[in-house]
Structure formats: C-alpha cells, structure tokens
C-alpha cells in the first residue's frame, strides 16, 4: 500500500535483461542518438539516497568503441551522389579519363594497360604480379624514340611481332584456298615431286625436314601460277650469316616476256668509261675557268663490256631465292661476264640481304644478289651431272648462224638406265651443264672485233675510237686467241684433282645391303655441299653449303706496283727523259734569255706582217 504524497516509484523496464546481444548489435550512432532523449525523459529530482538498479538501459549509455584507425572517419572522403548516373555513362567517363594524354610522354593509361595486358597474355610469364612493373617499364621504353639512333639513352625499336610470328603468318597463306587452286594444267608449270626426292636426299644425309619440304612444295605451286615458268627445280640452299637462301632454278616459257630485273649497279666498264671520258675532256687543257688550274688525269683505256648471254649459256635458267620456306620469292639478275670474272678473285660470306653492297679487293662493284647469281652459275657448271647416255645432242637443231654456239641437248628417248654397280664408277657420269670460259661466258666473244668497212671501202673510224680496233694510244691491239674448255657431256674423269685427291668420290648410302638395293651417292670435293643421289632410274642434284670453293688457304691477289714518276739510271725503261740536276741561272743569264726570246718574237711578227702585205698586193692585181 502506497503512502500518499510519496514519490512514485520508477517503472521497471519491460525488456528482459537476458537480451544483451541485441543491445550490443545496435550501432554506436543509434546509442549516441538515444542517450540525450533518455536523459530528457529522466526525472528532474531524484533522491540522493536511492541507488538506481542496474538495468539493460545502462548498456546503451556506455561510450561507443573508437575505431583503430581514426582516419577512416574523414569527412573529405568520396561521397557517392544521391542521383546515380547510368552504368554506360559512368563507363564512358572513366574511359575518357584513362585516355587522357600525358604532356610528357604523349601516352595515355588506357593504351598502355592494353599493351601490358596483351603482352602478358602472349608471353604467359611466371609470377605475373611480380613481373608487372618490369613489363610496364619495358613497354614504356619501346615508345621512347629520338631523331638519332646513336644518341645516348636511345632505345632500338623492337618488332611489334616476333620474327617467328612473321614466318608463321607467311606460311599460313600457303594453305589458303586461292593458293591451293591452280589455273589448270595448261597454266601451271612442271613441278617435280620433291617429297619423293627428299627421301633420296635423306639417304645421302641431306634433309630439309618434312615440314619445310612440304612448305616448299606449296610455295612452288603458287610460284608457277604467278610467273610464266615452264618448269622449276629445287636447286639447293646456301647458308648466310644472318639468313639463308633457298634457291629455285626455273625455265621460262617460250614466247613469254622476260621480267624486269633489279637495277644494275655501275660496273667496272662504266667507271672506266667515265674516267676515260673525263681524261679526254681535260686533255691539252692547261687551265680552267677563272684561271683555276686543272691537274692532268690519268688516261684510262676504255673497257668494252662483253655482251651478256640472253636466255642461253649461263643465263639459260632464271633463279629465285627466299629466306625461308613460304617466304616471298625474289628474282636474281642475269650473269654479267665482268662480274663473274670479279667473283672468281674474291671470297665473301653471304649475309642473307640481297641489297647489301659487296666491299672487297679486288672490287666487285655490285650487290650480294649479283654475287650470289655468279656463285650459283659457277657451282652449277661444275657440279650438275647426270648418268652417261641420259642426255643426247639435238640433231635437228641448226646453229649455222652462230659460229661458236653451244650445242643443245635433249633427254635421250632410247636411254637405258645403268645399274647401281655401274653408277659407282665415276666414268659413267657426265657434265650436262656447259663449261664457263674465263671471260665469263659459255660461248667465246672476241673482245677486239675486226674493224668494219663502210660503203666507200674505208675502215670505220668509230671502231677505233671505241677501242675495238686500236688501244688508247692508237696502236693496233693484238688479236685475241679464242678461249676453249671441255665440251658438254664430258665425263667426270676429266676433272682435275683437287688438293691431291679426286674431284669426285662415290659410295653406297648403306653398307647393310648390296649395291643393287642401296642408293648411290656422289660428292664433289672441290665444291663441298654438292651432292648427287641416284637409285635405279632416278637421280637428283642438290647443293647445300656456304657457296664457296674448298680452299685450304685463300690468298687475295697482290696489290699492283706503284706507278713510277720518272725513269732513273742508265738504260732505264720508259719514255721519260733522264733527269739531270742543274744550277739555278744567275740574273745576267735570265736577262739575256728574256732579250733573246723577245727578239725572236719580234722577228716572227715581222715575217707574218710581210706575208700579209704580199697577199693583199696579189689580190689587187
């Protein structure tokens, strides 16, 4: 029973005290907001002697737990706007920000990240996270270019695509339908079954690999559809320091126009002609314009270039080269006699670049394409052979017009194949490629043709001016003796020995079986890499090497002797008069010499005046 006037007892909370988990789960912010409200609801006066019992409300009055990192409650943090933009708009704005160009490097982050990710996906490195910074820095360096590549700190431009990828991209084109479909049997040239011939070459230890051989077959099939070729043959392969040459020998169709060849560099004959013309212009000239003295130039005898053989002799076949199976084919220029002569006096390794200038002594004055073509002609003339009787002379051909024309050969329809035992004998093999004369031609050409007579019966002066009849001093040149060589279809036994050994060696490819069931191998010791393989009625020539003759010691030709300025000593050879030392004249001797010269000039002047008066008197009469 409550007493009147006594203060009312505080109401007990209805919430159970057994729910502390719900109170702890409340947010600190809600506790802070609820605390002032409860403080306002509390009575203004409370008895001091009464102690309020502990209630669950006191749990909410506890101070909120401060975060371990105060900076997380910063007021300058990003606050998402109430009105959200569409997702595509936000993506466009973000992309535009990433594509903003840098003022220093002129790059943007979007393209840079794209290149980094693409590089990572292509290379697939281990521990991508650890290598990310290095890859990013390397890609940035590739975009750093300067005007001069030799400047300090300059980086070399790297290939966007690895060279191996370029090879693969070129080989993929061979499998396109347009490349596999030809223009018909009439449009295509003859292609040998190199897949079958590759088996013979493997018996001899020469292998290109089945994949490369198949790529070459597809490449040849595309080549004969693009070029007017009657037949093609895999000639061989020449190694280079940077790239190799795969060489194809082809024969043009009859009546087809020859393709344009690469621009020829000026040869020695052109340079000699320019020097001779310059010497002729400066002859008998003591001074130039404005009193400038022109020094006399050495008289050079003009070199009359020999005509090159067109679709005959060393240029009967055309040759195409590429650096890898499936690559673009490049046509080699025709052989020029002067360049073939120069190629015999030098020895240069190939680099794989057809446009590279050949720097050598004696000078070659040409590119690597011309030097390669000369070496191919020399190797083919010395190493391309066939069994005796396989080829025969064409009896129906008439070469009466050309006096020194090389006879042509055809496949003998009555040929009977030799047995493998007989092919082991070197005497049963012959050269079916014509011999190249020292002047660089198959047929001899007279470098000093006789002078032609004009209609009046007089000798033509143009021949002597061009150096064909007379030399630079006007003297008659000796008649050149014709050059000769071994005839075509001559046996291999006539080849000279090389370094104390036979030029050709033969053996069986396998010693596990008799010669009847084993391919026969021939190798040339003079040109290492030249190989001939024969089995039953098949035979194939192939060359795989560095393109040079075997020489134990290569000695370049010596330098010419220094030109003597004058002849000295009694009986010295030369047209220069002997030089004798004399003392300088005195002043009196110089004065007497000048007076004597002046008097001689006056006498000549008086004589010329008297002759002029006499002519005038005779005309008046």
């Amino acid at each position: 029973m409550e007493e009147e006037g006594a203060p009312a007892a505080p109401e007990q909370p209805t919430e159970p005290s057994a729910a502390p988990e719900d109170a702890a789960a409340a947010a600190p912010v809600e506790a802070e907001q609820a605390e002032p409200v409860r403080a306002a609801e509390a009575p203004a006066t409370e008895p001091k002697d009464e102690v309020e019992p502990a209630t669950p409300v006191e749990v909410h009055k506890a101070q909120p737990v401060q975060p371990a990192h105060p900076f997380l409650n910063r007021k300058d943090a990003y606050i998402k706007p109430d009105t959200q933009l569409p997702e595509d708009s936000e993506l466009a704005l973000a992309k535009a920000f990433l594509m903003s160009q840098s003022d220093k490097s002129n790059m943007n982050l979007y393209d840079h990240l794209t290149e980094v990710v693409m590089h990572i996906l292509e290379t697939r490195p281990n521990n991508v996270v650890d290598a990310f910074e290095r890859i990013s820095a390397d890609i940035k360096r590739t975009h750093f270019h300067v005007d001069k590549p030799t400047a300090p700190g300059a980086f070399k431009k790297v290939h966007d695509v690895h060279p191996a990828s370029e090879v693969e991209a070129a080989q993929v084109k061979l499998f396109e339908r347009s490349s596999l479909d030809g223009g018909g049997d009439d449009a295509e040239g003859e292609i040998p079954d190199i897949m079958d011939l590759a088996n013979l070459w493997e018996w001899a230890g020469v292998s290109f690999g089945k994949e490369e051989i198949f790529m070459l077959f597809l490449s040849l099939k595309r080549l004969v559809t693009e070029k007017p070729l009657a037949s093609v043959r895999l000639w061989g392969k020449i190694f280079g320091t940077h790239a190799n040459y795969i060489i194809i020998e082809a024969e043009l169709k009859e009546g087809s126009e020859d393709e344009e060849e690469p621009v020829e560099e000026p040869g020695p004959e052109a340079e000699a002609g320019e020097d001779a013309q310059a010497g002729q212009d400066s002859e008998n000239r003591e001074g130039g314009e404005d009193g400038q003295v022109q020094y006399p130039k050495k008289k050079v005898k003009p070199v009359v270039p020999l005509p090159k053989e067109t679709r005959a002799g060393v240029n009967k076949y055309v040759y195409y080269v590429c650096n890898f199976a499936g690559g673009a084919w490049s046509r080699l220029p025709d052989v020029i006699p002067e360049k073939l002569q120069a190629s015999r006096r030098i020895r240069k390794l190939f680099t794989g670049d057809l446009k590279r200038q050949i720097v050598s002594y004696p000078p070659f004055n040409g590119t690597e394409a011309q030097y390669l073509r000369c070496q191919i002609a020399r190797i083919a003339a010395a190493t391309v052979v066939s069994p005796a009787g396989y080829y025969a002379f064409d009896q129906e051909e008439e070469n009466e017009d050309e006096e020194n024309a090389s006879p042509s050969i055809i496949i003998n329809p009555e040929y009977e194949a030799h047995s493998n035992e007989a092919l082991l004998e070197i005497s049963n093999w012959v050269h079916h490629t014509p011999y190249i004369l020292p002047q660089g031609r198959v047929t001899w050409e007279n470098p000093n043709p006789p002078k032609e007579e004009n209609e009046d019966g007089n000798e033509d002066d143009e021949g002597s001016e061009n150096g064909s009849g007379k030399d630079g001093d006007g003297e008659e040149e000796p008649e050149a003796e014709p050059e000769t060589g071994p005839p075509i279809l001559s046996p291999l036994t006539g080849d000279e020995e090389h370094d104390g050994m036979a030029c050709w060696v033969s053996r069986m490819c396998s010693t596990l079986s008799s010669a009847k069931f084993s391919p026969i191998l021939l190798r040339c010791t003079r040109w290492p890499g030249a190989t001939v393989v024969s089995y039953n009625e098949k035979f194939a020539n192939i060359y795989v090497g560095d393109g040079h003759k075997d020489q134990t010691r290569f000695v370049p030709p010596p330098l010419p002797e220094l030109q003597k300025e004058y002849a000295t000593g009694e009986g010295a050879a030369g047209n220069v008069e002997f030089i004798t030392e004399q003392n300088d004249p005195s002043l009196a001797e110089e004065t007497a010499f000048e007076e004597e010269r002046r008097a001689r000039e006056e006498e000549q002047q008086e004589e010329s005046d008297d002759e002029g008066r006499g002519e005038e008197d005779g005309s008046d009469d």
Side-chain angles (χ1 to χ4, degrees):
M1 183 173 179
E2 299 180 353
E3 298 179 359
E4 295 182 0
E11 299 180 357
Q12 297 294 332
T14 59
E15 295 180 3
S17 59
E21 295 180 357
D22 297 341
V29 177
E30 295 178 357
E32 292 176 1
Q33 294 178 355
E35 182 177 0
V37 175
R38 290 170 182 162
E41 293 178 354
T45 59
E46 293 182 356
K48 297 182 181 179
D49 54 350
E50 293 183 2
V51 179
E52 294 182 357
T55 60
V57 179
E58 295 178 356
V59 177
H60 294 283
K61 293 181 180 180
Q63 295 295 331
V65 179
Q66 295 294 334
H69 303 284
F71 59 85
L72 293 178
N73 290 334
R74 291 174 53 184
K75 300 301 182 181
D76 57 349
Y78 172 76
I79 301 176
K80 194 173 182 179
D82 297 337
T83 57
Q84 297 183 358
L85 296 174
E87 185 177 357
D88 54 351
S89 300
E90 291 186 359
L91 181 62
L93 293 175
K95 186 176 180 180
F97 175 75
L98 295 178
M99 295 182 66
S100 58
Q101 295 290 121
S102 173
D103 298 337
K104 298 180 179 180
S105 60
N106 198 21
M107 297 173 56
N108 60 78
L109 183 59
Y110 185 84
D111 294 341
H112 178 67
L113 291 177
T114 303
E115 293 184 16
V116 173
V117 173
M118 290 298 297
H119 181 79
I120 291 174
L121 294 178
E122 290 177 359
T123 57
R124 305 280 180 171
N126 297 328
N127 302 326
V128 184
V129 178
D130 301 334
F132 183 83
E133 290 79 4
R134 178 183 57 81
I135 295 174
S136 176
D138 293 341
I139 292 178
K140 280 187 177 181
R141 292 191 186 97
T142 59
H143 293 279
F144 178 71
H145 302 293
V146 292
D147 297 336
K148 296 182 179 181
T150 57
F155 293 92
K156 295 182 179 179
K157 182 176 178 58
V158 298
H159 296 281
D160 295 338
V161 182
H162 195 270
S165 301
E166 297 180 0
V167 175
E168 295 173 358
Q171 292 177 347
V172 166
K173 296 181 180 179
L174 298 177
F175 295 91
E176 296 179 357
R177 193 65 184 175
S178 59
S179 300
L180 298 177
D181 294 339
D185 296 339
D186 298 337
E188 295 183 0
E190 181 181 356
I191 304 176
D193 188 2
I194 61 176
M195 300 296 294
D196 187 19
L197 295 177
N199 296 329
L200 285 179
W201 296 331
E202 288 183 1
W203 277 95
V206 178
S207 176
F208 289 84
K210 295 186 180 298
E211 294 182 358
E212 186 173 358
I213 284 292
F214 184 69
M215 292 292 180
L216 286 174
F217 173 74
L218 296 179
S219 183
L220 290 180
K221 189 174 181 180
R222 186 176 63 176
L223 180 65
V224 296
T225 58
E226 297 175 353
K227 308 293 181 181
L229 304 178
S231 62
V232 294
R233 180 179 77 90
L234 179 59
W235 187 87
K237 188 175 186 178
I238 290 181
F239 301 115
T241 57
H242 295 84
N244 303 327
Y245 289 117
I246 300 176
I247 305 167
I248 296 298
E249 182 183 83
E251 185 176 4
L252 295 173
K253 293 182 178 180
E254 295 183 0
S256 61
E257 297 182 359
D258 200 358
E259 299 177 346
E260 296 183 0
E261 298 179 5
V263 179
E264 297 289 345
E265 299 292 335
E269 64 279 358
E271 297 179 358
E274 294 177 0
D275 295 342
Q277 183 66 24
Q280 184 178 2
D281 296 341
S282 62
E283 188 176 3
N284 298 328
R285 293 181 62 183
E286 297 180 356
E289 298 179 357
D290 301 334
Q292 296 180 357
V293 178
Q294 292 186 355
Y295 295 97
K297 294 185 177 181
K298 180 182 178 181
K299 294 182 180 180
V300 180
K301 177 184 175 181
V303 179
V304 180
L306 296 172
K308 71 175 183 180
E309 296 172 311
T310 304
R311 303 189 72 170
V314 293
N315 294 323
K316 179 180 179 181
Y317 301 101
V318 294
Y319 292 86
Y320 292 86
V321 298
C322 66
N323 296 122
F324 58 89
W329 294 102
S330 301
R331 163 83 180 276
L332 294 180
D334 290 343
V335 175
I336 299 176
E338 288 76 16
K339 295 190 182 300
L340 196 142
Q341 297 175 19
S343 67
R344 288 171 170 164
R345 299 191 296 267
I346 64 175
R347 186 181 178 91
K348 296 284 288 185
L349 293 177
F350 294 97
T351 62
D353 184 9
L354 294 176
K355 298 181 181 180
R356 186 183 183 90
Q357 290 289 333
I358 299 297
V359 180
S360 63
Y361 174 80
F364 182 77
N365 294 328
T367 59
E368 188 168 296
Q370 299 162 344
Y371 181 55
L372 176 63
R373 181 64 182 87
C374 294
Q375 292 298 102
I376 291 174
R378 296 176 59 195
I379 296 172
T383 63
V384 177
V385 298
S386 61
Y390 184 82
Y391 288 100
F393 293 103
D394 189 2
Q395 303 296 337
E396 299 180 358
E397 186 181 11
E398 296 180 359
N399 292 328
E400 297 179 357
D401 298 339
E402 299 182 9
E403 184 176 341
N404 299 321
S406 176
S408 7
I409 57 176
I410 59 175
I411 297 177
N412 187 7
E414 301 178 356
Y415 168 70
E416 295 182 0
H418 297 275
S419 62
N420 288 350
E421 293 85 349
L423 292 178
L424 282 173
E425 299 293 334
I426 301 298
S427 58
N428 291 328
W429 293 86
V430 296
H431 293 278
H432 65 265
T433 305
Y435 175 80
I436 301 179
L437 300 174
Q439 68 173 190
R441 290 170 49 94
V442 169
T443 57
W444 185 75
E445 181 74 17
N446 189 0
N448 304 321
K451 292 177 291 186
E452 299 179 356
E453 295 183 356
N454 52 24
E455 297 178 355
D456 299 336
N458 299 326
E459 294 180 353
D460 192 0
D461 296 338
E462 294 181 358
S464 59
E465 292 179 359
N466 295 334
S468 58
K470 297 181 180 180
D471 58 7
D473 299 333
E475 299 179 358
E476 292 289 342
E477 294 184 354
E479 185 177 356
E481 297 182 0
E483 297 176 352
T484 59
I488 196 172
L489 299 183
S490 58
L492 302 187
T493 53
D495 294 356
E496 298 179 358
E497 294 184 356
H498 170 66
D499 199 13
M501 66 178 67
C503 185
W504 291 90
V505 294
S506 62
R507 65 176 179 85
M508 295 186 300
C509 293
S510 175
T511 58
L512 301 178
S513 59
S514 61
K516 182 179 180 180
F517 303 102
S518 175
I520 304 302
L521 167 66
L522 269 74
R523 288 191 182 275
C524 181
T525 59
R526 190 183 304 274
W527 293 92
T531 307
V532 185
V533 191
S534 175
Y535 182 69
N536 294 336
E537 297 182 359
K538 294 182 181 180
F539 71 95
N541 294 268
I542 192 72
Y543 177 84
V544 179
D546 58 358
H548 294 93
K549 187 185 295 185
D550 181 29
Q551 292 180 343
T552 55
R553 181 185 178 190
F554 174 73
V555 180
L559 295 172
E561 296 182 358
L562 297 177
Q563 183 180 1
K564 296 182 179 180
E565 298 181 359
Y566 53 86
T568 58
E570 185 177 357
N575 300 326
V576 183
E577 297 180 356
F578 295 109
I579 296 178
T580 57
E581 296 182 359
Q582 295 181 357
N583 298 327
D584 294 337
S586 60
L587 180 59
E589 292 175 351
E590 290 182 358
T591 304
F593 177 78
E594 291 293 335
E595 292 178 356
E596 183 179 356
R597 183 179 62 81
R598 193 179 300 107
R600 187 167 53 253
E601 292 178 354
E602 292 177 356
E603 291 178 359
Q604 293 177 356
Q605 184 66 24
E606 290 177 358
E607 292 177 359
S608 60
D609 294 343
D610 294 341
E611 291 177 359
R613 294 192 192 96
E615 292 177 358
E616 292 177 359
D617 296 341
S619 61
D620 294 341
D621 295 340

